[in-house]
Amino acid sequence: MKRIIVLLTLTGLFGCFENKAQNSSSPTYGYNDLKPTRTQEQVEQFATQFLSYHHYQKFKLDDDFSSKVWDNFLKDVDGGHSYFLESDIKSFEKYRDGIDEDLLEGDLTAPFEVFNLYRKRYKERHDFIMALLDKPFDFTTDESYETDREKSNWAKSTAELDDVWRKIVKSQVLDLKLSGSKDSATIATLKDRYKRWEGRIAKWRADDVFQSFMNAFSETIDPHTNYMIPSTAAQFNIEMSQSVEGIGASLQNEGDYVKIAEIIPGGPLFKSGQATKNDRIVAVAQGENGTWQDIVGWLTDDAVKLIRGTKGTVVRVRLLPGDAPAGSPTKELRLVREKVKLEEAVAKGEVVPMKKDGKDYKLGVIDIPMFYRDFEDARRGGDFQSTTKDVKRFLNDFKAKGVDGVVIDLRNNGGGSLTEAINLTGLFITKGPVVQRRDNNGSVDVESDTDPELVYNGPLVILQNRFSASASEIFAGAIQDYKRGVIVGEQSFGKGTVQQLVDLDQFLLAPRTASTDKKPAVGFDQKERYGQLKLTTEKFYRITGNSTQRKGVSADILLPTPFDPEEMGESSQPSALPYDQVKTSDYEKTTVINEKILAKLQEKYQARLKSDQELKQLTDDLAEYRKIKDITVISLNEAKRKQERDENEKRRKAVNKLSSGEKDEKEKDIILTESERILCDLISSSQK
């Protein structure tokens, strides 16, 4: 989005809010009905029109869109079908087709009515659970529990919902019991947990309801568009600053859990190699011997206060892996807090000796955790740090040491600087287009490498996985399109969109450029803050014209994977923007990689799949995991549940060697070593 265009267009929107008085009120705690503020009604109306004008996707505000927003909101409020009754849901149907009009008119009646009833239902559940925990459970009966409540119908009666919650609580008691907790401690932990949850709901403010509804709306447009209330925006800006103190993770709430949203490369959690995105933190302890604090049901802000601390001190966390089947045990991590500087997440290179088919090889391996660039130093003309500079240094060192080929490891690289993705590609080609960008007006720009220097022209393998995204996909896609190297691993994530952060205060409180008196827009109070919008403004396209959106970059050699592309990645999101194409750029392919070479590499890899014991075991483990990972019914019989847990944990540990991105030696043996074997085969083919 070009800022000048935004400003010129917005002058036509300000008139919608003139002569409307501000009536902001302070939040109150308890179970009195929450009510929207005038500021929230203004933001709803403004954000709706702003997104209609400036989002990449031209969406239509109609009954179909309204229905999708409504379903998203109900899912956010009670996705587990555990609080509302069927009669409650039917009473809300009157709002389904009118959300589009409400958005345009700044009417928040519907979401606040839903949430106010939800809080009453929550209080009823809390009272029932506390009474239930005073009674003993029989774990010898043969009954089961469906953990995925989204598949279940809404309860028709309070008695039916009571039975659902009896099983939920019984399952939680059994989990703690199997983890070694004594009966008295188990009941105390759960009572404390549910008291905390109840207090959390009682403390919800109108802001929280508003943000939830606005995101149900924005994420109906696409999964990367969202709205942040002022307090959330402030926290986001802190996390995106130059340094983060603690364990090196961005956290967010998901249901009753505090989830790891991102792991910052170079931080303690990243270095541990024992956690992955979407893992849930269920307990925290201070120091080597501190008491465990259960944080299930905590708000992220409160959890962060426990996790952050003085540099050099120890914090322990218990994680429930994000890919763990229902009823799995937690794992414990010991971490030393650090002040994590994002610029420390730099590329690392090493020379690896390898023997294959009686021949000795020297391979250069470069691990790139993210695409980084010190823009401030670059603007000043200083000797700034960047991915391209670091990789170029490694490549020159490799050439001096006589390496036979190079592996670039992009696993779990979620992207970063577009400039660096383009410049990095330029190290392996003479010059030419690298990526295309199309904006919401349909204009297409081609981003090219203009430096004719070719730093490395030898055999090249790019290793990626399902979590390689955005800038990683631009680089890998260009290498593949130029036939410059071989892509190995899994299909990449498929994020082919660009987002821009918009501070609403800058638009709603800044002097109006079209006004002679330079006053802020009428109706917007200077004392208020209006939050931020993150919206999708562009799409990326490969030089072939194919979008990386949804499809990502397909591996030339597909290694064993636990993921179905439709279950993980961009294509798994219902509102993800569609795949499409633009015209092909004018570029010249190299003759380094051709179909004959790829067929030979594939043939040798398939032979190893049949003969290499580690590859065979990994393939078998993943096949077994795929069979059971969607099982959501668990036993409430103690003996059967213990057996389920043991079997699931064994399978999960086997899969984690590949799927979690852990940097342990075992993973290196299985994954990186196989990519190195493929590189050796490529070197051999190139020499013939």
Side-chain angles (χ1 to χ4, degrees):
M1 182 192 306
K2 295 179 176 62
R3 184 174 176 81
I4 185 64
I5 294 177
V6 175
L7 291 172
L8 289 173
T9 307
L10 283 175
T11 58
L13 298 181
F14 283 134
C16 298
F17 307 106
E18 294 184 1
N19 301 319
K20 292 183 178 179
Q22 181 69 29
N23 183 27
S24 178
S25 59
S26 299
T28 57
Y29 299 146
Y31 282 92
N32 294 328
D33 282 353
L34 298 173
K35 296 179 181 179
T37 66
R38 185 69 197 118
T39 295
Q40 290 159 0
E41 293 168 345
Q42 288 178 306
V43 171
E44 177 190 28
Q45 193 176 11
F46 177 80
T48 300
Q49 296 192 49
F50 187 93
L51 291 173
S52 297
Y53 275 100
H54 300 296
H55 194 280
Y56 183 90
Q57 178 87 337
K58 300 301 182 183
F59 59 94
K60 186 177 180 182
L61 284 167
D62 55 14
D63 288 354
D64 180 60
F65 185 88
S66 176
S67 182
K68 291 177 181 177
V69 174
W70 193 240
D71 284 337
N72 281 347
F73 182 63
L74 290 177
K75 183 178 180 180
D76 286 345
V77 176
D78 188 13
H81 296 192
S82 302
Y83 298 95
F84 287 133
L85 298 173
E86 184 182 82
S87 57
D88 296 329
I89 299 302
K90 287 181 178 178
S91 74
F92 298 147
E93 280 299 296
K94 60 188 176 186
Y95 294 119
R96 178 174 293 279
D97 295 335
I99 297 301
D100 49 338
E101 288 93 346
D102 292 346
L103 287 165
L104 289 169
E105 295 169 4
D107 188 341
L108 292 163
T109 302
F112 275 80
E113 180 179 318
V114 168
F115 196 81
N116 284 327
L117 181 58
Y118 167 74
R119 296 210 307 164
K120 290 181 175 64
R121 293 285 182 254
Y122 196 98
K123 184 64 167 65
E124 293 168 1
R125 287 299 103 208
H126 171 265
D127 294 344
F128 171 79
I129 292 164
M130 297 305 283
L132 186 66
L133 285 169
D134 287 331
K135 304 173 184 177
F137 289 96
D138 183 359
F139 296 113
T140 63
T141 58
D142 192 9
E143 63 177 343
S144 60
Y145 166 58
E146 169 60 73
T147 62
D148 187 358
R149 290 285 304 161
E150 285 187 44
K151 298 178 181 178
S152 305
N153 295 324
W154 300 97
K156 290 182 170 59
S157 66
T158 301
E160 185 179 336
L161 198 54
D162 285 349
D163 193 57
V164 169
W165 274 99
R166 180 187 64 81
K167 290 184 177 182
I168 291 174
V169 176
K170 183 176 181 180
S171 177
Q172 292 170 345
V173 171
L174 185 52
D175 273 339
L176 291 171
K177 182 179 176 67
L178 291 176
S179 297
S181 177
K182 295 181 179 179
D183 291 348
S184 58
T186 293
I187 299 304
T189 296
L190 289 177
K191 281 193 172 185
D192 181 63
R193 180 184 296 179
Y194 280 105
K195 285 178 183 176
R196 187 166 59 246
W197 286 356
E198 191 271 336
R200 168 185 167 186
I201 295 299
K203 290 181 181 179
W204 267 58
R205 304 163 299 162
D207 267 358
D208 301 309
V209 183
F210 178 60
Q211 181 170 258
S212 179
F213 175 69
M214 289 300 292
N215 283 328
F217 157 52
S218 63
E219 291 170 10
T220 302
I221 307 171
D222 95 293
H224 304 291
T225 294
N226 58 55
Y227 167 74
M228 290 177 277
I229 58 177
S231 60
T232 302
Q235 181 62 31
F236 175 82
N237 292 334
I238 290 172
E239 291 178 352
M240 293 304 290
S241 64
Q242 283 299 305
S243 64
V244 180
E245 189 158 334
I247 63 173
S250 174
L251 308 177
Q252 68 181 46
N253 280 113
E254 183 176 85
D256 294 321
Y257 291 99
V258 174
K259 182 183 77 172
I260 297 173
E262 297 290 344
I263 296 178
I264 300 171
L269 204 59
F270 177 86
K271 292 175 182 177
S272 77
Q274 299 181 59
T276 188
K277 182 178 177 179
N278 296 326
D279 282 357
R280 293 154 285 178
I281 302 177
V282 299
V284 179
Q286 307 300 325
E288 302 289 358
N289 303 303
T291 303
W292 285 101
Q293 171 65 64
D294 180 277
I295 66 165
V296 177
W298 282 38
L299 294 175
T300 300
D301 289 351
D302 295 326
V304 166
K305 292 174 185 176
L306 281 185
I307 295 169
R308 284 181 178 168
T310 305
K311 177 182 177 181
T313 59
V314 172
V315 62
R316 290 173 291 134
V317 295
R318 280 182 179 156
L319 296 180
L320 182 63
D323 63 352
S328 297
T330 59
K331 60 180 178 180
E332 188 175 314
L333 274 65
R334 176 191 178 277
L335 302 166
V336 178
R337 297 180 177 99
E338 296 178 13
K339 189 167 186 178
V340 184
K341 292 185 177 180
L342 301 186
E343 61 263 27
E344 290 179 358
V346 297
K348 295 177 177 60
E350 64 175 332
V351 175
V352 177
M354 189 169 190
K355 192 178 200 67
K356 187 175 184 298
D357 299 332
K359 296 181 180 179
D360 291 319
Y361 295 91
K362 289 171 69 176
L363 307 179
V365 179
I366 302 175
D367 181 8
I368 304 177
M370 66 185 295
F371 286 84
Y372 51 90
R373 180 182 179 88
D374 190 330
F375 286 97
E376 186 174 342
D377 275 0
R379 280 193 295 269
R380 290 198 297 257
D383 185 21
F384 62 94
Q385 188 170 34
S386 76
T387 303
T388 305
K389 283 188 172 185
D390 289 343
V391 172
K392 182 178 180 179
R393 177 166 45 85
F394 290 134
L395 292 175
N396 287 329
D397 180 59
F398 290 165
K399 285 192 292 185
K401 293 178 178 176
V403 300
D404 300 297
V406 171
V407 174
I408 303 288
D409 189 348
L410 296 178
R411 286 174 296 175
N412 305 303
N413 184 323
S417 168
L418 171 64
T419 300
E420 289 304 312
I422 295 167
N423 292 346
L424 185 66
T425 304
L427 300 181
F428 303 95
I429 63 173
T430 50
K431 62 179 179 178
V434 175
V435 65
Q436 303 184 77
R437 302 165 64 175
R438 183 165 70 179
D439 65 20
N440 61 350
N441 293 316
S443 299
V444 177
D445 291 327
V446 179
E447 302 281 358
S448 300
D449 164 50
T450 58
D451 186 347
E453 182 184 14
L454 179 60
V455 176
Y456 176 75
N457 64 354
L460 177 66
V461 163
I462 308 296
L463 177 59
Q464 66 179 27
N465 65 6
R466 192 58 174 156
F467 301 108
S468 304
S470 196
S472 291
E473 296 174 294
I474 290 170
F475 170 67
I479 294 296
Q480 189 176 59
D481 293 338
Y482 274 103
K483 302 297 181 183
R484 178 61 192 84
V486 178
I487 311 300
V488 172
E490 304 172 42
Q491 181 175 330
S492 64
F493 191 86
K495 184 181 181 296
T497 58
V498 184
Q499 283 70 46
Q500 180 169 341
L501 195 64
V502 176
D503 186 345
L504 296 185
D505 293 348
Q506 292 183 2
F507 290 116
L508 301 180
L509 300 179
R512 290 177 59 183
T513 56
S515 172
T516 56
D517 59 8
K518 302 298 182 183
K519 290 181 180 180
V522 176
F524 291 91
D525 193 331
Q526 285 279 359
K527 297 178 182 179
E528 286 290 333
R529 289 296 175 262
Y530 296 91
Q532 294 180 344
L533 273 176
K534 179 162 68 74
L535 70 155
T536 299
T537 57
E538 292 182 322
K539 281 179 77 173
F540 285 131
Y541 296 83
R542 294 167 66 163
I543 53 179
T544 59
N546 297 314
S547 174
T548 54
Q549 177 64 10
R550 284 184 175 263
K551 290 192 176 184
V553 178
S554 297
D556 297 312
I557 309 292
L558 184 64
L559 298 182
T561 172
F563 300 122
D564 181 326
E566 297 308 313
E567 297 174 339
M568 180 69 69
E570 187 79 1
S571 59
S572 67
Q573 301 296 320
S575 63
L577 298 189
Y579 165 86
D580 60 353
Q581 298 171 303
V582 296
K583 291 183 179 179
T584 302
S585 297
D586 184 15
Y587 73 102
E588 293 184 14
K589 299 177 183 178
T590 71
T591 57
V592 175
I593 304 297
N594 55 47
E595 293 303 318
K596 184 177 180 181
I597 288 176
L598 289 177
K600 191 67 176 177
L601 297 179
Q602 186 69 248
E603 179 184 344
K604 291 187 176 182
Y605 166 65
Q606 291 298 326
R608 283 194 295 274
L609 273 179
K610 297 177 182 177
S611 61
D612 185 89
Q613 196 57 43
E614 285 188 326
L615 277 177
K616 287 172 64 177
Q617 185 61 54
L618 179 60
T619 303
D620 291 344
D621 287 341
L622 294 179
E624 182 66 18
Y625 175 79
R626 283 191 290 270
K627 289 179 184 177
I628 60 95
K629 70 183 177 70
D630 293 328
I631 297 175
T632 56
V633 177
I634 57 177
S635 176
L636 297 179
N637 176 282
E638 184 173 356
K640 290 184 178 180
R641 179 69 157 270
K642 186 177 185 307
Q643 183 179 359
E644 288 174 354
R645 281 167 57 104
D646 292 345
E647 291 176 354
N648 289 342
E649 179 63 4
K650 180 181 178 181
R651 293 178 177 118
R652 190 194 65 78
K653 283 183 177 179
V655 171
N656 247 5
K657 293 166 189 171
L658 178 65
S659 68
S660 71
E662 294 178 3
K663 301 298 182 184
D664 57 18
E665 290 302 316
K666 190 61 177 177
E667 181 197 15
K668 232 178 183 182
D669 290 343
I670 300 174
I671 308 304
L672 190 55
T673 298
E674 183 53 35
S675 70
E676 291 167 351
R677 288 172 181 156
I678 292 170
L679 177 58
C680 291
D681 291 337
L682 177 60
I683 295 166
S684 178
S685 299
S686 302
Q687 293 172 343
K688 293 179 180 178

